[in-house]
Amino acid sequence: MDILGELQTIVREYTGDSGLCVHTETTLTAGLGLDSYDLVMLLCTLEERFALEIPDRAAAQMVTAGDLADYLEKHKGI
Amino acid sequence: MLTEEINVRTIPALLDFCQTRYGSRCAFRWRAGAEIHDVTYQQFAGQVRTLAAYIAAQTARDDRIALVGGNSYRWLLGWFAVVCAGRVSVPIDPQLPTGDILALLAKSGASLLLHAAEFGDVAAAAPRAMDLERLPVEGEADGWPCAVQPEDLGAIVFTSGTTGVPKGVLLTHWNFMADALSGCRCMDLAGHTMLAVLPFHHTLSLTPGMLAQLPGGSTVCICGGMRQLTKDLAAFQPEYTVAVPLLAEGMYRKIWDTAQKEGKEKLLRVLLRCSDALLRLGIDLRRKLFKSVLDACGGLKWMLVGGAPLSAECADGFLRFGLEVLPAYGVSECAPGVALNRSGACKSQSVGQVLDCCRVKIVDGEIWVKGDNVSQGYYQDEAATQEAFTQDGWHKTGDLGLLDADGYLYITGRRKNLIVLRNGKNVSPEGLEQKLTELPCVQEALVYQEGDEIVAELYLDTEERPDAEAQFVAALAQLNRQLPAYQRITKHKLRDAEFPKTTTKKIIRK
């Protein structure tokens, strides 16, 4: 499964919405139906899942699911 | 609760007092991975003195020195050292994009930037910069580099202006100390453990979250950010914290989400009804009945919540579990505390009773504040100062409210045009509207708040540009990338006609 697919699985699990579709252009808050608290919790889950740490400044620059997936792709397993 | 009169009117005097009174007690605690670090009041005062002497040798009296970085012990050391050296601190929001940070550096005239390592790009563009981690803190400095007076400026705190141009609130040592000591007189802050989770650049974090903790010798546990919260709650087991509604409401929602996922929602509701009945008989078993719920919140006993309106459902709901959530009210211009609910006497719909360092009056529905904690005005902005402060020292908050017969303050709305989000961030709609109307496809724009979202309503130029909507969607995505996360426009609506306007051709706001 590609990173975006994994992201979709994790977000579906987090939100309990099994029909939620995540595309590269989906915005991280409104598009995923998350508020900024949820987003923080989601990032915590992703950090554990991908065994990495997302710096606050990098997180602040992410707007879409594509941005997040790109970051995970570049930094996973480093 | 502190019942004695503590006569400290400056921040260096506070550190002297704490060193003498609580020398070997733990002042600050933080986590680096699995390792916990402690610093005593004695060590902290010594390190601040050393660093203050170093900063004093590098800069001139009353120089502005900016700080940018996430929450860390080093950030705190830097801030205390700057103000104790008689320099003026300029704490900057680390969430801002690089360009905005540099604009604030220029606006404040800061001669030096103290920064966390990840802000190397900002440092490279600053007039002069020092990495917080590399500053010298070990050594023996005798006393403070210069005498600091209560009326000396301690900080310029930038806050969202209603027109989108940030205003620098001038705060003196006495503004901070008056507000902090007033908090100590009405909250039980002596000898406890608190978790500092809000960003340090914010006055809600600096004064009630930091300065008010020290006179009573409490231990401040430094949380590295929201993403560290769960681990830090478990590691430090704090008794209380200072939070914003987003955090308190998020934690509350998580309790119910977890109960639902584990199939325990019904059981929890039954237990709550039993507990409520027992409470009416004077039997309080909440901390036993809801131990697992409270443990998930790190064992917190109470939480002060300010920065934005808190839902009564959250405050009342947490109380049923045995965790007191106390709504408070403040603005940066008041360093920031104006009113807060006291433990055991909370009216959750209100923001509590007015602090004893200030007075509140309601003028044409607007909350005005006067007292020792109230700023003298805005940095190099006489027009904004005259608009928001009266000649005799009242600050017009721009918030609408009322006082009940018991002196509790209620916030009923806002006179100034400002979006206040649940994370305590203020956003100027006019600043965003200006950015939107600069887009070629947009003729008119109105920005407002719906729930916790920022919404843009637009009248596009579809005559000249048939694909205006597609152009706008692409341009909005680009614009959002340039904005700090909390200012992003998450929803837009299109109009097929111009906005209704006043006789002076201003759009009529909703």
Side-chain angles (χ1 to χ4, degrees), chain B residues 431-443:
Chain B
L432 291 176
E433 285 159 9
Q434 191 185 333
K435 288 185 166 77
L436 288 169
T437 48
E438 283 168 5
L439 300 175
C441 55
V442 175
Q443 291 211 15

Side-chain angles (χ1 to χ4, degrees), chain A residues 1-77:
Chain A
M1 194 188 294
D2 66 355
I3 292 268
L4 205 61
E6 279 192 69
L7 189 57
Q8 179 171 280
T9 307
I10 291 167
V11 175
R12 283 180 175 181
E13 205 170 287
Y14 183 86
T15 58
D17 180 354
S18 58
L20 186 73
C21 290
V22 178
H23 307 287
T24 50
E25 290 309 311
T26 309
T27 53
L28 286 174
T29 47
L32 298 179
L34 304 177
D35 66 13
S36 44
Y37 180 86
D38 291 324
L39 189 55
V40 167
M41 293 301 130
L42 176 67
L43 291 177
C44 290
T45 307
L46 293 169
E47 284 180 330
E48 279 186 23
R49 166 68 186 80
F50 290 94
L52 50 73
E53 201 171 306
I54 306 171
D56 286 345
R57 278 198 96 192
Q61 283 159 16
M62 294 172 188
V63 179
T64 63
D67 298 337
L68 181 52
D70 285 348
Y71 185 90
L72 295 172
E73 186 67 63
K74 274 185 201 150
H75 296 85
K76 66 176 180 177

Side-chain angles (χ1 to χ4, degrees), chain B residues 178-179 182 185 329 334 336-339 353-361 368-374 394:
Chain B
D179 204 58
S182 188
R185 288 190 288 271
Y329 169 71
C334 299
V338 173
Q353 291 162 302
V354 176
L355 290 172
D356 65 5
C357 61
C358 60
R359 287 182 287 149
V360 162
K361 66 178 178 182
W368 288 22
V369 189
K370 182 178 182 177
D372 292 336
N373 56 334
V374 176
W394 288 93

Side-chain angles (χ1 to χ4, degrees), chain B residues 287-432:
Chain B
R287 295 203 76 85
K288 284 182 183 163
L289 285 174
F290 305 114
K291 187 173 181 306
S292 60
V293 170
L294 295 169
D295 283 350
C297 300
L300 286 172
K301 290 181 179 147
W302 60 272
M303 203 187 299
L304 186 76
V305 177
L310 174 75
S311 78
E313 182 203 353
C314 169
D316 295 341
F318 261 130
L319 189 61
R320 292 178 76 197
F321 288 123
L323 196 165
E324 226 178 353
V325 175
L326 304 168
Y329 169 71
V331 288
S332 299
E333 289 83 346
C334 299
V338 173
L340 61 84
N341 274 289
R342 277 68 162 169
S343 178
C346 175
K347 291 188 185 180
S348 61
Q349 306 272 359
S350 80
V351 289
Q353 291 162 302
V354 176
L355 290 172
D356 65 5
C357 61
C358 60
R359 287 182 287 149
V360 162
K361 66 178 178 182
I362 309 295
V363 180
D364 296 333
E366 185 180 8
I367 300 167
W368 288 22
V369 189
K370 182 178 182 177
D372 292 336
N373 56 334
V374 176
S375 163
Q376 54 196 269
Y378 301 111
Y379 179 66
Q380 293 184 340
D381 195 340
E382 194 50 38
T385 300
Q386 282 193 10
E387 197 181 330
F389 295 85
T390 66
Q391 291 290 335
D392 57 347
W394 288 93
H395 170 54
K396 305 174 194 174
T397 63
D399 292 316
L400 303 176
L402 53 90
L403 285 161
D404 73 8
D406 301 321
Y408 284 77
L409 183 64
Y410 294 77
I411 309 298
T412 57
R414 264 192 306 284
R415 172 160 290 167
K416 58 189 175 188
N417 184 27
L418 207 59
I419 290 171
V420 179
L421 299 168
R422 281 161 58 227
N423 59 8
K425 297 278 191 188
N426 293 354
V427 179
S428 157
E430 287 169 25
L432 291 176

Side-chain angles (χ1 to χ4, degrees), chain B residues 24-43:
Chain B
S24 60
R25 197 183 283 184
C26 177
F28 295 103
R29 178 170 290 158
W30 69 97
R31 192 173 57 82
E35 204 176 332
I36 305 278
H37 297 266
D38 278 351
V39 165
T40 66
Y41 275 91
Q42 172 111 25
Q43 289 168 326

